[in-house]
Amino acid sequence: MNQISKSFGDFFLDNVFLTPAVIQAGVVTPSDTFGFELWHSFTTDKLLTGVNETGGNGLVLDGVTSGVIPGFTSAGYEVFLSQIKGGIIGYEAGFDFGPGGVFPFRLSATMATIIAERIDWSTQPGMTIQYLTEVIESFDGTEQRIALRDQPRVSLTYQYLLDDGALTEFDIKYGNFGGQLLVPMWAHASELTHDVLLGDRIIYVDSVNGYVSSSNTLMITDGVDSEFVGVESVAFGAVVLTALVNRNFKLGARVVPVRAGYSSDESSATIHIDSLASHQITFELDETTFTKPVPVDAFERYKGKHVIPFRPDRSNDISVQYQRLREHFDPTIGARSIYERTPGIVRVFSHAFRFFSDDERQSFENFAELQNGAQGEFWMESAAIAMEIAEDIYDETFKLKIKPVGYSRLGNSKSFPPAITISLYNGTTLKRSLVSAGAVGGLEVLILDEPLSDIKVEDVESIKPLYLCRFDSDEFKYTFDTTQDSTITKTIRQLLHADAPEN
């Protein structure tokens, strides 16, 4: 049979190429951009008469739309999605070369549903960070822990107060469409320090917290209009965007970091009157795309372990639970028997921490991250004073004489604190580990691992126990009053040191 053979030149020469010509992007966010190139293999220049766009409501094509295109010269294009509000994207751009034909570029995607409504601050929003820690406890109360997640799971809890048309719009958007959502992290919002004008590429904010600096997408909102922008770089309060701003925003408008996630399986709404309802939702952020700020280790260490620097909120009482490690044998006949697994008790402290700035809260989050949630061990100073110095110290000595409080029995229990902290009125804080203790002449003498010198009784403000601790739970739930003022209540568990001190 006769067949007409075709060569490479039949396809390559005198043709227009789009690379790629088709992009199937799947689920996308407003900060996503897609690039492609147009070029032709004609030996003469070709005139691009225009670009015919369809299905591009809210989509921006950046590149040459008309003019002479030289042969074998690439023209770059980018597609920006920052103004698309959700739904299916079926975009086509036809590059019209007149008699040479029309050559299409196609982009298909699904924009994640955007939950841009403002939250109701009368009900405190919350953020929960979970690490999933496994606890392996030995018979005598010592323990090991393993954090099973490389990336902690983050969830946000908001309440929305909706009225009139906003109520119906929110109900339709949230109740009828599933899949991925784009959720603003309202509690970590910053404010514009300068007006933003149409066409600006750089915006200036009052504070660049960790969530703003690690975001790919930000939302700028003044309460009426909102715009999603992609982030190229952040430095010293200046945020460089991936595309130009399409609206004007005044000084003081909110700049909110945005994360992708999913709503919890159940949420609840309360209809107050026909046109007013409140809706409470918990959003589980997608840990495969979620980027947490990189923790900054600026914390003091003692004996190789961090010292927690945060003081509890003393407007709330600190509660201490005492747990004894015992085995109970209660046969059906005969006397009950109790076996002490280890002398002493394990102290469990409940501390409420209040942060008056986002930097303070971020610092606490950094500390928790460095502990891998509840895996790491750290030192914590007791809120109660332990002992009182009895004699002045002149020459360098390893001995500290105190008024009797029972520390002479240090070697008989593992639940004694392994160290103390000595606070002086001049602001100096000294930390020493306890080696042994005994009673001498109506006083108690502590033997320390490092010497002390030149300390008078009147110089000492307090001497407190320094416990080796872990966070009892790996769930960290922050409650926000404002973007600056937040609280967290944490249970902190004393660790029993495995090796008893020697007398």
Side-chain angles (χ1 to χ4, degrees):
M1 296 180 63
N2 295 326
Q3 290 183 342
I4 299 175
S5 63
K6 294 184 179 180
S7 66
F8 172 74
D10 295 329
F11 294 96
F12 179 76
L13 297 175
D14 299 332
N15 200 358
V16 175
F17 298 92
L18 290 158
T19 53
V22 177
I23 296 178
Q24 296 178 339
V27 179
V28 295
T29 66
S31 63
D32 291 337
T33 60
F34 299 93
F36 63 95
E37 295 181 350
L38 179 145
W39 59 283
H40 67 82
S41 57
F42 290 90
T43 56
T44 59
D45 296 346
K46 286 296 178 181
L47 177 64
L48 174 64
T49 61
V51 179
N52 306 317
E53 297 180 83
T54 59
N57 185 24
L59 183 150
V60 177
L61 177 67
D62 183 31
V64 177
T65 57
S66 64
V68 174
I69 306 294
F72 298 97
T73 300
S74 173
Y77 292 85
E78 284 189 296
V79 179
F80 296 91
L81 311 179
S82 59
Q83 301 309 306
I84 295 179
K85 296 303 182 183
I88 304 298
I89 301 172
Y91 173 72
E92 180 175 315
F95 291 84
D96 190 352
F97 283 87
V102 177
F103 300 86
F105 164 80
R106 295 183 179 90
L107 169 66
S108 60
T110 302
M111 175 63 72
T113 304
I114 298 172
I115 308 296
E117 286 78 5
R118 297 179 70 88
I119 63 173
D120 179 13
W121 279 91
S122 65
T123 299
Q124 296 165 311
M127 179 179 70
T128 302
I129 301 176
Q130 297 171 307
Y131 289 84
L132 189 60
T133 301
E134 181 179 350
V135 180
I136 305 170
E137 186 175 354
S138 66
F139 189 77
D140 66 351
T142 58
E143 63 182 32
Q144 294 293 327
R145 298 189 181 190
I146 302 172
L148 303 181
R149 285 197 186 106
D150 294 330
Q151 184 80 356
R153 180 169 294 167
V154 180
S155 60
L156 306 172
T157 300
Y158 293 149
Q159 176 167 293
Y160 298 90
L161 188 62
L162 306 160
D163 61 351
D164 298 330
L167 173 59
T168 303
E169 182 182 357
F170 186 87
D171 182 78
I172 291 173
K173 178 169 61 175
Y174 178 75
N176 294 282
F177 300 98
Q180 198 171 64
L181 306 172
L182 291 178
V183 186
M185 303 184 74
W186 287 100
H188 305 287
S190 299
E191 291 186 359
L192 291 177
T193 58
H194 297 78
D195 291 346
V196 173
L197 303 178
L198 174 68
D200 281 350
R201 182 74 180 274
I202 301 176
I203 63 174
Y204 298 91
V205 296
D206 60 349
S207 64
V208 178
N209 58 54
Y211 288 95
V212 171
S213 62
S214 61
S215 289
N216 294 323
T217 306
L218 299 175
M219 181 179 73
I220 309 175
T221 177
D222 56 11
V224 178
D225 293 321
S226 299
E227 181 172 345
F228 287 79
V229 294
V231 179
E232 183 175 295
S233 63
V234 180
F236 306 109
V239 181
V240 181
L241 308 179
T242 57
L244 306 181
V245 178
N246 290 281
R247 290 188 177 91
N248 295 330
F249 292 96
K250 293 293 186 181
L251 166 73
R254 295 282 185 180
V255 179
V256 191
V258 176
R259 295 293 192 271
Y262 300 87
S263 64
S264 58
D265 293 341
E266 295 182 3
S267 61
S268 60
T270 302
I271 300 175
H272 305 291
I273 58 176
D274 289 348
S275 59
L276 182 66
S278 56
H279 201 143
Q280 188 167 22
I281 309 176
T282 297
F283 298 99
E284 304 286 347
L285 303 188
D286 185 355
E287 58 255 44
T288 62
T289 61
F290 183 81
T291 303
K292 280 189 92 273
V294 177
V296 178
D297 188 354
F299 304 101
E300 178 189 0
R301 289 178 181 263
Y302 177 65
K303 302 292 185 181
K305 301 184 186 297
H306 289 106
V307 179
I308 188 169
F310 309 98
R311 300 298 179 186
D313 178 12
R314 297 313 297 262
S315 65
N316 296 305
D317 293 334
I318 298 172
S319 63
V320 184
Q321 181 183 6
Y322 299 93
Q323 297 180 354
R324 292 195 177 274
L325 302 179
R326 287 172 171 169
E327 295 292 329
H328 294 263
F329 301 95
D330 195 1
T332 55
I333 58 174
R336 181 179 63 174
S337 175
I338 299 177
Y339 172 72
E340 297 280 356
R341 289 165 54 185
T342 187
I345 50 87
V346 174
R347 298 168 181 83
V348 181
F349 304 89
S350 180
H351 283 214
F353 299 98
R354 185 169 184 178
F355 312 108
F356 292 97
S357 72
D358 191 66
D359 289 341
E360 291 178 352
R361 187 210 51 76
Q362 182 65 61
S363 180
F364 186 89
E365 193 175 327
N366 288 341
F367 188 85
E369 178 88 0
L370 293 170
Q371 312 311 316
N372 287 328
Q375 178 183 351
E377 301 175 0
F378 57 87
W379 296 98
M380 186 189 72
E381 181 182 299
S382 172
I385 295 175
M387 59 194 73
E388 185 178 347
I389 188 172
E391 293 183 359
D392 294 341
I393 298 174
Y394 296 100
D395 297 328
E396 191 173 88
T397 178
F398 287 88
K399 296 181 179 180
L400 176 64
K401 294 183 178 181
I402 60 172
K403 296 180 180 180
V405 290
Y407 266 67
S408 59
R409 302 178 62 194
L410 177 68
N412 298 327
S413 172
K414 297 180 181 179
S415 66
F416 275 96
I420 58 174
T421 176
I422 305 170
S423 299
L424 306 181
Y425 283 109
N426 63 6
T428 303
T429 300
L430 306 173
K431 295 178 177 62
R432 297 291 186 272
S433 293
L434 302 179
V435 177
S436 63
V440 177
L443 298 176
E444 291 183 351
V445 178
L446 304 181
I447 306 301
L448 309 177
D449 67 330
E450 296 182 41
L452 297 172
S453 63
D454 194 21
I455 297 177
K456 296 182 179 180
V457 173
E458 60 268 20
D459 294 338
V460 179
E461 180 184 359
S462 65
I463 303 178
K464 296 182 179 181
L466 196 60
Y467 291 106
L468 193 59
C469 299
R470 281 191 175 114
F471 292 116
D472 194 45
S473 166
D474 69 355
E475 180 175 292
F476 295 80
K477 186 174 183 179
Y478 302 90
T479 302
F480 295 86
D481 295 310
T482 67
T483 56
Q484 299 296 316
D485 192 353
S486 56
T487 57
I488 184 174
T489 299
K490 284 302 297 177
T491 302
I492 299 174
R493 184 182 184 87
Q494 172 199 1
L495 298 179
L496 297 182
H497 49 281
D499 298 322
E502 298 178 357
N503 279 318

